[in-house]
Amino acid sequence: MSNNAPIPNRPYRSHRVPACTRCRSRKIRCHIDIPNEPCLFCRERRLKCQYGDSLAASIPAETDGNHRPSKKRRISDDKISAPTVTRSHSAPSVPKPSVSGTEQSAMMLGPAVAEDINILQRHISKHKYPDGGAPELYQTVSHDALNPIIYLSVPRNRSGLTQPSNIGKEQVEIVEQIFGPFKQEVLELFFSHIHHHFPILGEASCSILRNGPIDKLPKALLCVIYAIASPNWRKSDILKMHPKPDAHYIWNKAIKSLSEDALSPSLATISAAVLDLIGRPSVSIVRNVALCGHTVALAHTYGLHRDPFGWKISDEEKSSRIRQWWGVIITDYWASIAYGTPPHVYKGFYDVPMPTLDSLLSPKATAVQKYASTCFVHLCALTELLGEILPLVYQLGPNADDLERGVVRLRSLLDNLESELPEWLPLPDRTGTSNLWFCFLSMRLLLNRVALRVAVLKDDVESRSARLDELRTSSAAVLDFVLWLGESQFLDFWLPYAAHLLVLATMVDLRCLIEAPSHEIRSTSISRLERFITHIQSARDEHDWDIASYCLERCADPITKISSLLAQESHPQPEALPNASETSGSQIGTIFDDSSLLLSDFLDPTAFDFSWEALWDTPSTLPNFTI
């Protein structure tokens, strides 16, 4: 029957005038009380009656007069229209956001509200409505009475804003035109040098990337994958024979596609943002800080911070959610210590277990992939410990005794984590170990820096001297490790936050040099720093190790100035010089013993706004890097 044909007033239980599809599927009376108008059930919902197969074709256009999506359909409607509905990447029971084009997203309700809704739904489910049931506004994925997990369906897009279905398509096409016939080779670079070191993509996405069709992958995610893989161009035997594209241009296209996707975000948006944040080279600190906060907010909204094991979803979906959440935590915590901003995630506000090797690796995984994923699991454990250290760093007006007890406890936890590391760490023939061991050494340095803060707060001269010795030893360990690195380590996987941790270690070593009690210690320290700067300069120039760029920019000049002062201390000027010079020369020998000497005297005043003591009384733990 035609959709526009006039419908007479239908007699009760009439077979001559059939019921519309919605009433028939609900087994309710199709009451046509006004001739040539929809039945009472459809008219109340501002819908047209549908007959036969016309329902499936018309469901996507079911909107009210204000162009808003209609109420959620019952299961029977979903079965009828299943062939025409674009399925989500999520499990069937969770109404999570999906690919562009769907109108509904989802947000997890807070625990208190979820408990109230759960009780209300249990009560409503005991009663039946004459029209076949009330519309379902909520989806429950865990019926635990003490901890229910409930999602609320909400519009994905802003009211009145039509989101295009081809988000990021233009940027992907431009990037693929640049890569030409080598785009699949670039994707293989992603799997060879990125994915197993930071495996946040689920099996479904990886299968599409390897086997196609890649058109099914969200364009923003695909564009970011191209961008994060392209700096490894010269590591491919095929690609190194061809000119390397401009990595900054590729990244700009990826950032633009991700910005468009953020207007109508999905779970794929979180994966793309996390991969963006760990991408190299990292050049936009302010944008990274903002993107990190936005990503954490989305992760909380979609419920990635909750343990999904008891949910009514597939095992693949559970594994994917766990991977994504730990990617979010790693970027949040390490960005916090790198950029000097408090973290957005706090321990106790999430209960997601750490990923396991079995969940990250396929049965056919190679030895190299096992090494890389093993390092990722240990990085997750170290990141969780970092989450406990950060409150000690950012706490304003801390109690010295509480701070000291916290340092002692966390040092013990760090020792336990170190004892659990594989025996092959950090041997040079094991991929991923250099980045992980560097992070361990940086955490020990950070804890020793907090311990020095305790001594300063207590105004204990003897304790301050001991803590400075510990801090000098830990900073020297970081620098010695970097001096040990060779070509294979420089070409290995590194998180971009290592660049800022490298600056932190250098600044701490310079501070310890200035406050060193003897000329011999100062000479040893400056000699190590000079060799260190030369070494990372060579790594950047010969092996394209962009991690060294920030350290060279911020620390090379201060090291040169302090080295010059030490040279003057070792070789005083002749007595024949004018009196002013004699006075100056006599002061050079004691300049490093002057307690009023600040490290900021040798540094760019735009890079550091506070002395070291004042710096630790503010929310910022690192230099205020400018872009």
Side-chain angles (χ1 to χ4, degrees):
M1 182 179 293
S2 173
N3 186 38
N4 297 324
I7 305 298
N9 192 355
R10 183 180 182 275
Y12 179 64
R13 295 182 63 85
S14 169
H15 295 283
R16 181 174 59 84
V17 181
C20 71
T21 305
R22 292 187 184 85
C23 293
R24 187 167 65 251
S25 65
R26 288 172 171 78
K27 297 183 179 180
I28 62 175
R29 181 183 179 187
C30 186
H31 182 56
I32 302 179
D33 53 347
I34 302 177
N36 300 325
E37 291 292 334
C39 67
L40 180 61
F41 179 80
C42 294
R43 193 169 67 250
E44 288 177 348
R45 287 155 180 77
R46 299 183 181 181
L47 302 173
K48 293 182 180 180
C49 286
Q50 306 293 333
Y51 298 90
D53 297 331
S54 60
L55 177 61
S58 61
I59 283 179
E62 290 177 359
T63 56
D64 58 20
N66 295 325
H67 303 285
R68 292 177 299 182
S70 62
K71 292 183 178 180
K72 189 176 181 65
R73 300 186 301 277
R74 290 176 59 82
I75 295 177
S76 55
D77 283 345
D78 292 337
K79 291 180 179 178
I80 295 173
S81 59
T84 63
V85 176
T86 302
R87 284 196 57 84
S88 168
H89 286 301
S90 61
S93 300
V94 184
K96 295 187 296 296
S98 177
V99 295
S100 299
T102 56
E103 296 181 353
Q104 293 295 312
S105 182
M107 57 179 270
M108 176 177 281
L109 298 179
V113 178
E115 183 179 346
D116 297 338
I117 294 297
N118 187 48
I119 294 175
L120 181 62
Q121 284 190 318
R122 288 174 181 268
H123 175 74
I124 292 177
S125 64
K126 298 178 181 178
H127 302 81
K128 293 188 178 296
Y129 287 80
D131 62 353
E136 297 181 5
L137 298 178
Y138 305 96
Q139 289 286 343
T140 303
V141 295
S142 176
H143 288 281
D144 185 354
L146 299 178
N147 187 25
I149 304 297
I150 300 178
Y151 281 89
L152 170 65
S153 295
V154 295
R156 290 192 65 196
N157 302 322
R158 183 181 179 90
S159 179
L161 177 64
T162 302
Q163 189 70 8
S165 59
N166 57 349
I167 294 176
K169 181 179 179 181
E170 178 183 352
Q171 283 70 41
V172 168
E173 288 178 348
I174 293 174
V175 171
E176 290 183 342
Q177 280 286 84
I178 294 174
F179 292 153
F182 303 116
K183 64 180 183 180
Q184 193 60 42
E185 187 68 22
V186 175
L187 294 179
E188 286 301 320
L189 285 176
F190 171 76
F191 287 106
S192 300
H193 301 283
I194 306 294
H195 173 64
H196 292 286
H197 294 279
F198 208 85
I200 67 163
L201 292 186
E203 295 178 4
S205 298
C206 292
S207 178
I208 293 175
L209 283 171
R210 285 188 178 277
N211 306 318
I214 60 175
D215 291 341
K216 290 186 177 181
L217 209 63
K219 298 298 186 292
L221 177 59
L222 180 59
C223 203
V224 171
I225 290 174
Y226 281 137
I228 197 175
S230 61
N232 298 283
W233 186 274
R234 303 195 188 282
K235 298 178 184 179
S236 168
D237 293 335
I238 297 176
L239 297 179
K240 67 181 182 181
M241 307 297 293
H242 303 274
K244 178 182 177 181
D246 184 359
H248 294 289
Y249 181 81
I250 303 296
W251 268 116
N252 288 340
K253 293 301 175 185
I255 291 170
K256 185 176 181 180
S257 69
L258 186 57
S259 299
E260 294 176 357
D261 192 56
L263 295 176
S264 184
S266 66
L267 283 176
T269 306
I270 297 178
S271 297
V274 169
L275 290 175
D276 181 348
L277 288 169
I278 68 162
R280 294 168 46 200
S282 178
V283 295
S284 181
I285 295 176
V286 173
R287 175 190 173 272
N288 288 346
V289 171
L291 180 60
C292 184
H294 181 254
T295 305
V296 172
L298 282 180
H300 281 116
T301 300
Y302 298 153
L304 291 180
H305 62 296
R306 301 305 308 272
D307 183 359
F309 271 117
W311 296 11
K312 300 182 296 183
I313 58 177
S314 66
D315 292 338
E316 195 279 332
E317 178 66 20
K318 294 174 184 178
S319 175
S320 179
R321 293 177 69 89
I322 292 173
R323 293 167 184 248
Q324 285 183 297
W325 174 249
W326 280 97
V328 170
I329 282 193
I330 290 172
T331 53
D332 182 47
Y333 285 173
W334 292 95
S336 173
I337 201 62
Y339 303 145
T341 57
H344 302 86
V345 179
Y346 294 93
K347 190 173 183 180
F349 290 0
Y350 67 90
D351 58 358
V352 182
M354 278 188 288
T356 62
L357 278 179
D358 292 338
S359 66
L360 298 177
L361 294 171
S362 67
K364 298 181 180 180
T366 65
V368 173
Q369 294 171 354
K370 291 179 181 179
Y371 292 140
S373 296
T374 299
C375 289
F376 177 76
V377 172
H378 287 284
L379 178 64
C380 290
L382 183 62
T383 299
E384 193 166 46
L385 177 63
L386 175 59
E388 296 189 57
I389 298 175
L390 290 175
L392 306 184
V393 173
Y394 289 105
Q395 184 180 3
L396 301 178
N399 179 275
D401 293 331
D402 293 341
L403 201 62
E404 187 174 25
R405 285 191 292 268
V407 171
V408 172
R409 181 179 67 86
L410 294 175
R411 277 177 172 171
S412 177
L413 292 177
L414 184 61
D415 291 338
N416 292 338
L417 288 180
E418 185 175 347
S419 66
E420 296 173 359
L421 292 175
E423 295 179 357
W424 42 261
L425 191 83
L427 298 179
D429 59 341
R430 301 293 190 267
T431 181
T433 60
S434 298
N435 175 77
L436 178 61
W437 187 244
F438 178 82
C439 291
F440 262 93
L441 294 176
S442 298
M443 287 306 96
R444 197 169 298 282
L445 171 65
L446 184 62
L447 278 175
N448 287 336
R449 187 61 185 86
V450 178
L452 177 61
R453 187 186 186 192
V454 173
V456 171
L457 291 174
K458 289 186 173 183
D459 197 19
D460 187 337
V461 177
E462 183 177 350
S463 176
R464 177 188 172 97
S465 177
R467 299 292 86 79
L468 271 173
D469 289 340
E470 294 175 351
L471 190 61
R472 182 184 302 108
T473 301
S474 57
S475 64
V478 176
L479 300 184
D480 286 337
F481 175 69
V482 175
L483 285 169
W484 171 82
L485 298 177
E487 179 181 0
S488 61
Q489 289 79 45
F490 290 132
L491 297 178
D492 202 359
F493 173 82
W494 289 86
L495 288 174
Y497 310 115
H500 307 276
L501 295 174
L502 206 61
V503 174
L504 174 63
T506 308
M507 291 294 102
V508 167
D509 202 64
L510 281 171
R511 181 256 172 91
C512 293
L513 183 154
I514 289 176
E515 299 192 7
S518 67
H519 174 73
E520 290 75 19
I521 296 178
R522 290 195 289 268
S523 297
T524 301
S525 296
I526 197 63
S527 175
R528 181 192 304 111
L529 284 168
E530 290 176 332
R531 288 185 289 110
F532 166 78
I533 288 296
T534 302
H535 189 62
I536 64 174
Q537 176 77 56
S538 174
R540 188 187 66 174
D541 296 342
E542 297 178 10
H543 308 301
D544 199 21
W545 197 53
D546 56 280
I547 299 297
S549 297
Y550 278 125
C551 191
L552 292 170
E553 177 185 346
R554 301 297 180 185
C555 305
D557 187 58
I559 290 174
T560 301
K561 291 178 180 178
I562 294 178
S563 177
S564 176
L565 286 175
L566 279 173
Q568 295 179 39
E569 179 183 11
S570 303
H571 305 284
Q573 297 179 3
E575 297 181 358
L577 292 177
N579 293 336
S581 298
E582 291 178 1
T583 304
S584 176
S586 64
Q587 294 175 349
I588 289 174
T590 59
I591 186 171
F592 289 98
D593 298 323
D594 184 2
S595 60
S596 64
L597 182 66
L598 297 176
L599 184 59
S600 57
D601 295 337
F602 302 98
L603 301 177
D604 179 4
T606 63
F608 299 89
D609 298 329
F610 307 97
S611 66
W612 279 94
E613 284 74 13
L615 189 65
W616 279 84
D617 290 333
T618 68
S620 176
T621 61
L622 288 181
N624 178 24
F625 295 113
T626 57
I627 299 179

